[in-house]
Amino acid sequence: MKVLHSPGLLLATVLLLQSVFIDACQAQRPVSVKPSAVKPQGASPGRLAENLFSGSRIPLQEAGQIVTIHNTIRAEVGVAPVCWSEKLAAYAQQWADHLVSFWWCRMKHRPSSGKWQEEYGENLFIGTAGQYGTSDAVMAWAAEKPRYHGEALQSFPRSGAGHYTQMVWRDTTRIGCATGMCRGNLLVVCNYDPPGNFLGRKPY
């Protein structure tokens, strides 16, 4: 059954969802995002309203699913929940767009220095568009859990569990994700603040 019947009601619902994300996080004042940075090509007014407040091209409903999966996985190991950050989502969108435009969707993390210097923790995923979505990306990271056995992180790439350990890093309180499309593939970028995966430390 269709619940939303008008653009006005849709926008009101989006605003309510945004306030829930912000209140749950006790986050900083929402940052502004240029519409050109988040508007998908050919987006309808309703679709634009749905995307406008997440900070990236990910609709708020998907952002909520991403947060819920993260918090379910975090609860399994007794760490506090995270919330959505518009600022981090916009930051992730910049990198996703860069990878699509200049790296042909290659799985490449931000560098440690220079213009694109990494400031936050980062997880990446790529999969066939239409077969995989943002929730699939997060579940793929969570599926690394059996590879981590509670030890302090001593080496890179952390026995193939680095995405998972970033997801459950105790100090992380905010996340933001974005997507890019190229050559039939969906690219997902998620950023984490404060970052995790410090060598010599346990995630929780």
Side-chain angles (χ1 to χ4, degrees):
M1 181 177 68
K2 188 175 182 180
V3 177
L4 300 178
H5 298 283
S6 70
L9 182 57
L10 173 60
L11 182 57
T13 304
V14 170
L15 289 170
L16 176 61
L17 286 170
Q18 183 196 26
S19 69
V20 169
F21 280 129
I22 293 172
D23 290 344
C25 205
Q26 296 183 345
Q28 67 276 15
R29 188 183 312 169
V31 299
S32 60
V33 181
K34 295 180 180 179
S36 60
V38 298
K39 181 180 179 182
Q41 291 183 353
S44 65
R47 184 69 173 176
L48 177 57
E50 191 177 68
N51 289 324
L52 186 58
F53 300 102
S54 73
S56 71
R57 292 192 180 94
I58 293 177
L60 279 180
Q61 182 179 5
E62 284 187 37
Q65 293 170 352
I66 291 170
V67 170
T68 297
I69 297 171
H70 273 82
N71 288 339
T72 299
I73 301 303
R74 291 173 67 86
E76 291 177 353
V77 295
V79 295
V82 293
C83 67
W84 187 264
S85 165
E86 181 184 336
K87 177 181 177 181
L88 288 180
Y91 179 85
Q93 191 64 64
Q94 291 175 351
W95 188 241
D97 290 345
H98 180 71
L99 291 180
V100 168
S101 299
F102 297 98
W103 291 95
W104 302 283
C105 276
R106 282 178 55 190
M107 296 274 284
K108 184 176 178 66
H109 285 285
R110 281 179 180 259
S112 58
S113 61
K115 174 184 176 181
W116 295 98
Q117 181 175 356
E118 186 177 63
E119 299 178 31
Y120 308 105
E122 186 174 77
N123 278 349
L124 303 176
F125 172 91
I126 192 167
T128 304
Q131 296 185 22
Y132 296 94
T134 53
S135 293
D136 297 306
V138 182
M139 291 303 296
W141 301 331
E144 297 175 358
K145 181 178 180 178
R147 304 175 191 170
Y148 177 67
H149 306 290
E151 69 278 10
L153 305 185
Q154 298 294 340
S155 62
F156 204 80
R158 295 176 288 276
S159 301
H163 299 104
Y164 169 75
T165 53
Q166 174 60 90
M167 286 182 69
V168 298
W169 199 263
R170 182 182 298 277
D171 295 340
T172 298
T173 58
R174 289 179 289 274
I175 65 173
C177 305
T179 59
M181 293 282 293
C182 70
R183 301 195 301 185
N185 292 316
L186 171 72
L187 175 72
V188 181
V189 179
C190 282
N191 286 117
Y192 299 80
D193 182 37
N197 284 347
F198 290 97
L199 297 184
R201 293 177 56 185
K202 296 182 179 181
Y204 52 87

